[in-house]
């Protein structure tokens, strides 16, 4: 058939084909296929694949592709990455999808990172770490050996752990290497806190002392308590030291001069915790930037203004039971915005602006969990047998780690949390170093550390 005649015939048959019903069209195609040879069938197969199997991620504008991808869960997206190089490129560059997936896992997001492929890599790292937590494989243990008597006081800061012992010594350890950096002779230590130049100790001999690391010399001695000093805190900027004692009082001292500026009364039990912290919220009683003193005993948390006036009055007293039937655990968290303490009823969180209880987190499956650390995303808790991580968004325990038979202390100074930034959300870099430390009956220090990423 000539080309011109073929085109006329094709136009006529096309018009007739379009006028048919769907059923008639299908029958027509079936008949034509039955008359076709191998060449025609191969041609038909090649064209059908192009018409029916369209790559929508390749054809759609990138913004529409990203919109569609947001409806898929991360695991499905990872499977889709295996379809082709083009799909992997598009899906990996969908920043919002991977950032959301990381947030859902409790990961911190740094919006300043511009690398389009960065957040998929972060998610893969995050899912591995969370899997290790779920499988109880995220940590490892170590020990520090060097004291010859019970270790009663621990304090951790920037990779260094200070230990105070009944062997009349205090030691400063590099947690990463396990090496003792400093060792000085002291009195019996019930509480310790340090910086680069000095060590401050609270003692069972009813005094507080300040020591110089480099020489081991005692540079200041604070006398005035009539009972053991269980907790201390200080601030160089204010030139103030505070101490809590078994004599039911809190004392405020001039750090450099060693003189007592004030004695705060009102507690009816041993004062086991004092915290000196800058306030971050405004209320009728304080403003952001004001320094606040918190003191805690077995039943109450008291809030004091920091000043040099003699008749300093308590701003507020917090408790979890009016009749004192419920005891507070000897741990206290205060970040300038919230106060958190644990009891037999659960974790109590107070808003520091209003002093109202924001929430009570109960763990009915495990009673009497003690607080170690509290953040925006996670909390670190423990009991006599395990260390626990709680996801505060769901108030569920997501991981636990076995603990040895450590030395028990009603005051809570013989155990502590290590690095705390990860409690506000993991970021792939802050899950390193010390997680937990406690003193042991054999006078060693048991360490729980983050295991390196696989």
């Amino acid at each position: 058939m000539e080309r011109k005649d073929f085109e006329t015939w094709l136009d006529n048959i096309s018009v007739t084909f379009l006028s048919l019903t769907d059923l008639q069209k299908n029958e027509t195609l079936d008949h034509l296929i039955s008359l076709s040879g191998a060449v025609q069938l191969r041609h038909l197969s090649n064209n059908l694949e192009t018409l029916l199997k369209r790559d929508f991620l390749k054809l759609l504008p990138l913004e529409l592709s990203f919109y569609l991808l947001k409806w898929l869960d991360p695991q499905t997206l990872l499977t889709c990455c295996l379809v082709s190089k083009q799909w992997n490129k598009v899906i990996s560059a969908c920043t919002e999808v991977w950032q959301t997936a990381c947030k859902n896992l409790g990961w911190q997001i740094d919006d300043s990172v511009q690398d389009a492929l960065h957040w998929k890599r972060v998610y893969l790292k995050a899912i591995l770490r969370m899997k290790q937590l779920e499988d109880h494989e995220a940590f490892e243990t170590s020990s520090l050996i060097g004291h010859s008597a019970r270790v009663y006081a621990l304090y951790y800061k920037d990779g260094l752990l200070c230990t105070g012992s009944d062997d009349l010594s205090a030691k400063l350890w590099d947690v990463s290497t396990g090496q003792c950096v400093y060792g000085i002779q002291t009195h019996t230590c019930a509480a310790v806190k340090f910086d680069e130049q000095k060590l401050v100790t609270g003692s069972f001999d009813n005094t507080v002392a300040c020591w110089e690391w480099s020489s081991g010399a005692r540079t200041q001695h604070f006398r005035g308590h009539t009972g053991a000093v269980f907790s201390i805190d200080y601030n160089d900027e204010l030139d103030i030291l505070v101490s809590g004692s078994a004599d039911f009082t809190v004392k405020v001292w001039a750090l450099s001069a060693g003189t007592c500026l004030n004695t705060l009364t009102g507690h009816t039990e041993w004062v086991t915790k004092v915290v000196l912290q800058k306030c971050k919220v405004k209320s009728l009683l304080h403003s952001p930037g004001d320094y606040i003193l918190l003191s805690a005993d077995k039943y109450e948390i008291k809030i004091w203004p920091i000043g040099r006036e003699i008749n300093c009055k308590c701003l507020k007293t917090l408790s979890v039971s009016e009749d004192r039937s419920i005891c507070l655990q000897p741990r206290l968290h205060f970040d300038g915005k919230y106060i958190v303490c644990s009891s037999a009823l659960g974790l109590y969180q107070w808003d520091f602006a209003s002093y109202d209880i924001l929430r009570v987190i109960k763990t009915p499956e495990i009673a009497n969990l003690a607080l170690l650390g509290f953040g925006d995303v996670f909390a670190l808790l423990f009991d006599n047998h395990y260390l626990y991580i709680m996801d505060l968004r769901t108030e569920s325990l997501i991981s636990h780690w076995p603990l040895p038979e450590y030395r028990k202390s009603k005051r809570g100074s013989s155990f502590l949390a290590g690095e705390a930034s990860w409690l506000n959300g993991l970021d792939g870099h802050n899950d390193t170093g010390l997680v937990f430390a406690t003193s042991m009956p054999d006078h060693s220090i048991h360490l729980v550390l983050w295991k390196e990423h696989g």
Side-chain angles (χ1 to χ4, degrees):
M1 184 181 293
E2 295 291 333
R3 179 68 186 175
K4 186 175 181 180
D5 294 336
F6 171 73
E7 290 177 352
T8 302
W9 174 82
L10 188 60
D11 288 339
N12 291 333
I13 202 154
S14 297
V15 171
T16 304
F17 184 80
L18 292 173
S19 67
L20 299 177
T21 64
D22 286 339
L23 181 60
Q24 291 170 335
K25 288 178 181 178
N26 291 343
E27 290 181 3
T28 302
L29 291 174
D30 287 341
H31 183 67
L32 289 174
I33 290 172
S34 67
L35 298 176
S36 300
V39 175
Q40 288 75 44
L41 291 176
R42 191 179 303 111
H43 174 79
L44 185 62
S45 174
N46 292 338
N47 282 276
L48 280 175
E49 184 173 5
T50 304
L51 291 170
L52 296 178
K53 297 182 180 180
R54 294 192 175 188
D55 189 340
F56 67 91
L57 277 187
K58 186 176 182 180
L59 298 174
L60 283 175
L62 201 57
E63 293 79 6
L64 285 178
S65 296
F66 286 169
Y67 176 79
L68 292 175
L69 292 172
K70 287 194 293 185
W71 295 93
L72 298 179
D73 64 271
Q75 193 57 49
T76 301
L77 287 173
L78 289 176
T79 303
C80 290
C81 286
L82 302 176
V83 171
S84 67
K85 291 182 178 179
Q86 178 66 24
W87 277 43
N88 182 51
K89 182 179 179 181
V90 172
I91 294 171
S92 298
C94 190
T95 300
E96 186 178 351
V97 167
W98 298 112
Q99 283 187 340
T100 300
C102 290
K103 286 180 181 178
N104 291 338
L105 288 175
W107 234 249
Q108 294 184 43
I109 301 300
D110 182 0
D111 294 321
S112 65
V113 178
Q114 299 298 320
D115 182 4
L117 304 180
H118 171 76
W119 291 108
K120 181 190 171 187
R121 294 195 294 267
V122 172
Y123 174 77
L124 293 173
K125 194 173 186 179
I127 204 72
L128 171 62
R129 180 56 94 191
M130 298 309 292
K131 183 70 166 58
Q132 289 176 335
L133 286 171
E134 291 172 8
D135 295 342
H136 320 301
E137 297 176 350
F139 305 133
E140 58 189 7
T141 60
S142 181
S143 295
L144 302 176
I145 301 173
H147 284 291
S148 58
R150 67 176 180 175
V151 177
Y152 237 91
L154 302 173
Y155 184 80
Y156 177 81
K157 179 183 177 183
D158 299 334
L160 299 173
L161 179 67
C162 182
T163 57
S165 170
D166 279 355
D167 63 10
L168 303 183
S169 76
K171 297 182 184 296
L172 190 64
W173 308 82
D174 184 329
V175 171
S176 63
T177 63
Q179 299 299 309
C180 181
V181 180
Y182 286 114
I184 60 175
Q185 293 300 303
T186 61
H187 48 185
T188 57
C189 295
V192 292
K193 185 177 180 179
F194 71 91
D195 56 43
E196 291 181 359
Q197 286 77 38
K198 64 181 176 295
L199 166 69
V200 179
T201 57
S203 176
F204 292 104
D205 67 9
N206 307 346
T207 70
V208 179
C210 185
W211 314 80
E212 188 177 68
W213 280 122
S214 58
S215 66
R218 187 175 66 192
T219 59
Q220 203 59 262
H221 206 190
F222 305 83
R223 300 176 182 271
H225 281 296
T226 58
V229 179
F230 290 141
S231 182
I232 54 171
D233 203 354
Y234 66 86
N235 183 282
D236 287 308
E237 179 185 347
L238 297 176
D239 191 32
I240 279 179
L241 180 144
V242 293
S243 55
S245 169
D247 63 11
F248 304 170
T249 69
V250 176
K251 287 187 180 291
V252 182
W253 311 82
L255 181 58
S256 57
T259 55
C260 183
L261 303 174
N262 212 336
T263 298
L264 309 180
T265 59
H267 283 285
T268 57
E269 297 285 341
W270 291 358
V271 181
T272 56
K273 189 67 176 177
V274 289
V275 177
L276 188 58
Q277 173 72 39
K278 188 177 288 187
C279 175
K280 297 179 181 178
V281 293
K282 181 176 179 58
S283 78
L284 295 174
L285 301 176
H286 46 71
S287 301
D290 292 348
Y291 277 93
I292 299 294
L293 169 62
L294 268 64
S295 59
D297 63 28
K298 189 176 180 181
Y299 299 107
E300 296 177 335
I301 300 169
K302 290 186 178 293
I303 302 166
W304 313 83
I306 281 295
R308 294 175 183 264
E309 62 272 15
I310 299 300
N311 298 317
C312 180
K313 293 184 178 180
C314 177
L315 296 177
K316 188 72 175 178
T317 298
L318 307 175
S319 64
V320 298
S321 61
E322 295 293 335
D323 60 356
R324 296 194 164 199
S325 59
I326 304 298
C327 295
L328 298 176
Q329 299 281 0
R331 305 292 298 175
L332 183 64
H333 170 85
F334 178 50
D335 60 2
K337 296 185 294 184
Y338 305 108
I339 300 171
V340 184
C341 195
S342 58
S343 74
L345 296 178
L347 291 178
Y348 278 74
Q349 183 181 19
W350 287 270
D351 176 27
F352 195 60
S354 63
Y355 301 127
D356 292 334
I357 295 176
L358 291 180
R359 60 174 169 172
V360 181
I361 303 173
K362 298 185 177 181
T363 53
E365 67 274 18
I366 303 172
N368 295 321
L369 284 182
L371 176 69
L372 283 166
F374 193 93
D376 296 333
V377 180
F378 302 110
L380 186 64
L381 312 166
F382 76 116
D383 61 14
N384 289 339
H385 306 289
Y386 290 97
L387 190 66
Y388 300 93
I389 295 178
M390 173 182 284
D391 188 329
L392 292 172
R393 299 166 300 175
T394 60
E395 298 183 2
S396 60
L397 300 175
I398 62 171
S399 183
H400 67 263
W401 183 262
L403 295 176
E405 287 294 325
Y406 58 88
R407 183 185 295 280
K408 308 300 187 294
S409 168
K410 292 182 179 180
R411 298 174 297 97
S413 62
S414 59
F415 41 78
L416 52 68
E419 300 291 345
S421 62
W422 66 271
L423 296 172
N424 294 320
L426 294 159
D427 64 9
H429 303 289
N430 58 9
D431 50 344
T432 59
L434 184 67
V435 179
F436 173 78
T438 184
S439 59
M440 300 294 291
D442 64 358
H443 319 318
S444 67
I445 312 299
H446 179 77
L447 306 180
V448 177
L449 306 146
W450 283 102
K451 187 183 293 184
E452 288 189 12
H453 282 278

